[in-house]
């Protein structure tokens, strides 16, 4: 990136502060206390699964968010997301009925799609030569923020009631809006300036993201086995995050009599472990390739789930904490690498759209994970639910092993 390297790093920092800490970080509120709030209101595991999974409506918004981001820029898409997040937090803080929570979580998902999408696309713009590292840094910012917000949410819930975090912490995206609006330069424009410097006599931006070519491109990605294996790996990250770490593990812990603060501590430690490891995973994928890192991640997650099956009668906080940390570490190996693998092969003028396709499948896990685990918790118990989860991760291992080809061998 030549002379602009320092500015790109500064812009990445502003992107992380505006969209990650004061945006995506607020997901720590729901990860820490939503399941506990819903359980205290008498909802069943299945109902909690559907409410938690309603954030999977994010998947419906991912491709529109990507297409709009290619059309109007990353910053404007982020603005929309932030205000939807604020509305969703306050709705969850005020809700009592199933449908009120379900609608609030759906809005939360759309807000996340726009805010997180802008962050993902922007990081790919700014660090195009080290995409694994860039996505790792972004996810470190996201999950470091989740960790902080989860810890603060637990303290607020303990002292002021379980609804308090939604009102107090839920307005944080407003500060993110101010940072992005006032200080962040449009990442797409900075990327184009780089291309113009690298190709002073070329025509890097002659292609347009028209609707017909965009839909053909989306269809191609969704029928390409090489890319579908990567997309499924992305789905597994949300399956683990929302289905296991956000919903099933807290329900398991509460069913064994552990306190709200202990559940919040488990969430904090798990997300802290992810935060520590995710940058290393992204950096290593730049060095040794995407495939080996993603396969390792699916195997670690499968192993953690099988550990629950083997030790299901040993329901100590130490066992639960160990399982949560292992799932987080396995997830960290996949999380930055799958979007980097997608960004490796999509054309510049359709970068956000292509990554939006990835995020569509990725975010389907937000719905699939909680619903599968909620039904399993009610009907089959903890051990069988984790056994099913282990099989899902092993399917991901097989798909990556036999279908995915490193970026130099993929032609799109």
């Amino acid at each position: 990136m030549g002379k602009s390297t320092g500015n790109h790093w500064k812009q990445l920092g502003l992107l992380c502060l505006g969209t990650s800490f004061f945006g995506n970080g607020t997901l720590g509120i729901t990860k820490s206390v939503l399941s506990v709030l819903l359980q205290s209101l008498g909802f069943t595991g299945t109902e909690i699964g559907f409410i938690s999974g309603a954030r999977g409506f994010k998947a419906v918004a991912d491709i529109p968010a990507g297409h709009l981001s290619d059309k109007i820029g990353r910053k404007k898409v982020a603005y929309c997301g932030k205000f939807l997040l604020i509305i969703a937090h306050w709705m969850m803080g005020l809700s009592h009925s199933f449908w009120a929570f379900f609608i609030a979580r759906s809005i939360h998902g759309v807000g996340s799609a726009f805010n997180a999408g802008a962050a993902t696309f922007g990081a790919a713009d700014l660090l195009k030569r080290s995409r694994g590292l860039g996505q790792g840094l972004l996810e470190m910012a996201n999950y470091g923020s989740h960790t902080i917000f989860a810890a603060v949410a637990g303290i607020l819930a303990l002292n002021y009631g379980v609804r308090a975090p939604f009102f107090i912490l839920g307005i944080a995206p407003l500060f993110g809006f101010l940072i992005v609006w006032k200080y962040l330069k449009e990442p797409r424009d900075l990327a184009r300036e780089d291309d113009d410097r690298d190709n002073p006599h070329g025509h890097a931006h002659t292609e347009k993201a028209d609707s017909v070519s965009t839909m053909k491109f989306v269809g191609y990605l969704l029928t390409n086995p090489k890319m579908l294996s990567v997309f499924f790996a992305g789905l597994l990250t949300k399956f683990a995050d929302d289905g296991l770490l956000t919903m099933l593990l807290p329900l398991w812990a509460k069913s064994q009599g552990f306190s709200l603060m202990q559940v919040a501590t488990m969430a904090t430690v798990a997300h802290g472990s992810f935060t520590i490891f995710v940058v290393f995973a992204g950096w290593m994928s730049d060095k040794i390739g995407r495939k080996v890192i993603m396969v390792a991640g699916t195997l670690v997650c499968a192993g953690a789930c099988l550990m629950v099956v083997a030790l299901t009668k040993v329901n100590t906080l130490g066992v639960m904490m160990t399982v949560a940390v292992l799932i987080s570490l396995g997830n960290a190996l996949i999380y930055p690498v799958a979007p980097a693998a997608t960004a490796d092969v999509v054309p510049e003028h359709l970068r956000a759209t292509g990554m939006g396709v990835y995020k569509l499948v990725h975010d389907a896990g937000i719905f699939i994970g909680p619903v599968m685990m909620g039904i399993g918790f009610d009907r089959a118990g903890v051990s069988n639910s984790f056994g099913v989860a282990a099989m899902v991760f092993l399917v991901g291992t097989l798909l990556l092993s036999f279908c995915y080809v490193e970026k130099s061998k993929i032609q799109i």
Side-chain angles (χ1 to χ4, degrees), residues 7 48 60 95 132 139 192 231 272 285 300 320:
N7 187 44
I48 294 172
V60 178
S95 295
E139 296 304 340
R192 287 179 174 177
F231 298 164
S285 78
V300 170
M320 295 181 186

Side-chain angles (χ1 to χ4, degrees), residues 35 111 123 146 164 220 250 327 374:
S35 290
H146 292 181
Y220 177 74
I327 291 172

Side-chain angles (χ1 to χ4, degrees), residues 220-356:
Y220 177 74
L221 288 180
L222 288 173
T223 54
N224 185 320
K226 298 173 184 178
M227 297 312 300
L228 284 175
S229 65
V230 176
F231 298 164
F232 186 76
L235 182 150
L236 292 179
T237 64
K238 302 312 295 182
F239 182 92
D241 201 5
D242 289 76
L244 300 181
L245 296 175
T246 299
M247 206 216 56
L248 187 59
L249 275 167
L251 288 180
W252 183 24
K254 285 294 292 179
S255 71
Q256 298 303 310
F258 293 106
S259 70
L260 172 62
M261 198 63 200
Q262 287 173 314
V263 174
T265 300
M266 183 171 67
T268 302
V269 171
H271 292 306
S273 302
F274 180 100
T275 303
I276 292 169
F277 204 65
V278 70
V279 175
F280 173 77
W283 176 76
M284 281 299 295
S285 78
D286 288 332
K287 297 294 182 181
I288 66 174
R290 315 295 190 204
K291 185 172 185 173
V292 64
I293 303 297
M294 288 190 286
V295 168
T298 58
L299 287 174
V300 170
C301 287
C305 293
L306 290 174
M307 179 179 172
V308 178
V309 176
L311 300 175
T312 188
K313 294 183 179 179
V314 187
N315 296 325
T316 66
L317 186 62
V319 169
M320 295 181 186
M321 194 81 77
T322 300
V323 170
V325 169
L326 286 174
I327 291 172
S328 294
L329 291 179
N331 213 17
L333 287 169
I334 309 169
Y335 220 112
V337 183
T342 304
D344 287 338
V345 299
V346 295
E348 188 274 337
H349 71 292
L350 288 169
R351 179 177 295 146
T353 302
M355 296 185 76

Side-chain angles (χ1 to χ4, degrees), residues 135-146:
Q135 295 298 320
L137 289 168
L138 178 67
E139 296 304 340
M140 180 184 73
N142 287 339
Y143 278 79
S145 303
H146 292 181

